């Protein structure tokens, strides 16, 4: 939904100047993300070029592609893509368009194909993107199938998450830029062993940054999530924000109870001490959001559509020891209950995220400020400035 506001047609240099000024403030004097950035069409196009056409974008979980030919489709700032499992177990990513006249190849959100056949003229590709059949193209002089593969894009796996990058030669890799986060914090959980049990895409009437800033601060949890996360009774004063980093931000908090929901399973040998009951909320910039717990993780991959609409693909993954505990007796009912719980959490967030979009439409707003545990919002603002100014 495109909502016309006083910010919509502000010149890009003006929007950049507001962002630059906000990013230069020290955290003690920090303000929210400038409202113009949620509504300005020129800045949205600038983000498309500077961020989503260059950065590593999470599109799902590696274990969703277990087996040759398993695939997921998605769209990154107007480019339709798919990731697909290869015979050797690796993953490749391609533009979801035929090499003939660019018809979309795969229409379903996910599925299984050992051959990819264009619905238009039946050009047929192997899972590695090579063209193996082009009906009647022998009529074209010197036609060479090897010259017409699918357009491949860069793909990487980090801690069980799948990333793609539209840049021809990305300047970085997730493994390198996220090594400090893995080594110091999240690596001990071994997220790659968590098994995905649900995946769903939602569309909200908000700017993509509204959703990111909501997820990366827990100040709202006691007020907004009274039916879900607030029940864990984690005091706001116990939250600890992580170091300032270029490519990620996080905060963490131990829950009071050493047993029960939110704590490590007795068979979990990966975690020790307080980590066995610690939650980590982290963001891999620009748009992967993860709530990581000893007994589950919840992730959201955030992709902009229009200035006032965002697509959020969210999923749940659970450690094997937790799933094995329920396997054979009531596993389906347990998973259904988990999905419903996270669905309630999404429904708690949705009206507030959309309220951020509506509220920031005005040009008559106070300066705003940030709570001490909203440091991650300040870090996100600084990331935006590094990428867009």
């Amino acid at each position: 939904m495109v909502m016309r506001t006083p910010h919509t047609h502000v010149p890009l240099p003006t929007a950049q100047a507001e962002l630059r000024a906000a990013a230069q403030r020290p955290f003690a004097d920090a303000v929210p993300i400038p409202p113009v950035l949620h509504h300005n069409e020129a800045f949205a196009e600038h983000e498309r070029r500077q961020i989503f056409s260059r950065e590593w974008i999470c599109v799902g979980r590696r274990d969703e592609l277990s087996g040759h030919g398993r695939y997921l489709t998605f769209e990154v700032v107007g480019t339709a893509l798919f990731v697909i499992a290869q015979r050797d177990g690796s993953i490749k990513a391609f533009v979801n368009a035929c090499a003939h006249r660019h018809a979309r190849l795969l229409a379903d959100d996910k599925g299984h194909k050992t051959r990819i056949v264009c619905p238009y003229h039946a050009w047929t590709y192997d899972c590695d993107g090579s063209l193996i059949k082009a009906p009647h193209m022998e009529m074209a002089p010197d036609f060479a199938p090897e010259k017409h593969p699918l357009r491949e894009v860069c793909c990487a796996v980090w801690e069980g998450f799948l990333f793609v990058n539209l840049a021809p030669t990305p300047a970085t890799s997730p493994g390198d830029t996220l090594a400090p986060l893995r080594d110091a914090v999240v690596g001990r959980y071994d997220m790659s062993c968590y098994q995905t049990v649900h995946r769903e895409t939602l569309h909200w009437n908000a700017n993509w940054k509204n959703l990111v800033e909501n997820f990366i601060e827990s100040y709202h949890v006691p007020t907004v999530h009274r039916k879900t996360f607030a029940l864990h009774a984690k005091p706001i004063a116990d939250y600890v924000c992580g170091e300032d980093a270029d490519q990620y931000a996080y905060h963490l908090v131990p829950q009071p109870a050493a047993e029960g929901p939110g704590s490590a399973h007795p068979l979990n040998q990966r975690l020790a001490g307080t980590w066995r009951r610690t939650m980590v909320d982290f963001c891999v910039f620009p748009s992967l959001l993860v709530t990581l717990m000893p007994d589950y993780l919840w992730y959201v991959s955030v992709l902009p559509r229009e200035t006032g609409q965002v697509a959020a693909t969210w999923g749940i993954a659970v450690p094997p020891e937790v799933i094995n505990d329920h396997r054979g007796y009531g596993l389906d009912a347990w998973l259904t209950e988990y999905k419903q719980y996270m669905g309630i959490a999404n429904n708690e967030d949705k009206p507030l995220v959309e309220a951020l979009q509506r509220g920031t439409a005005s040009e008559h707003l106070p300066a705003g400020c940030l709570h001490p545990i909203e440091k991650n919002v300040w870090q996100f603002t600084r990331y935006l400035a590094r990428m867009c100014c």
Side-chain angles (χ1 to χ4, degrees), residues 62 65-72 83-92 113 127-128:
R62 171 64 180 84
L65 302 180
S66 56
H68 174 227
R70 294 285 177 186
Y71 69 84
L72 298 171
V83 286
I84 189 165
Q86 305 297 298
R87 288 181 179 85
D88 63 1
S90 64
I91 305 296
K92 287 183 178 290
K113 299 280 188 183
C127 292
D128 64 3

Side-chain angles (χ1 to χ4, degrees), residues 24 26 51 98 176 192 197-198 227 264 273 363 375:
Q24 289 173 347
I51 296 178
C98 182
D176 289 340
S192 60
V197 296
H198 186 67
K227 297 178 181 178
E363 61 182 338
K375 181 184 177 184

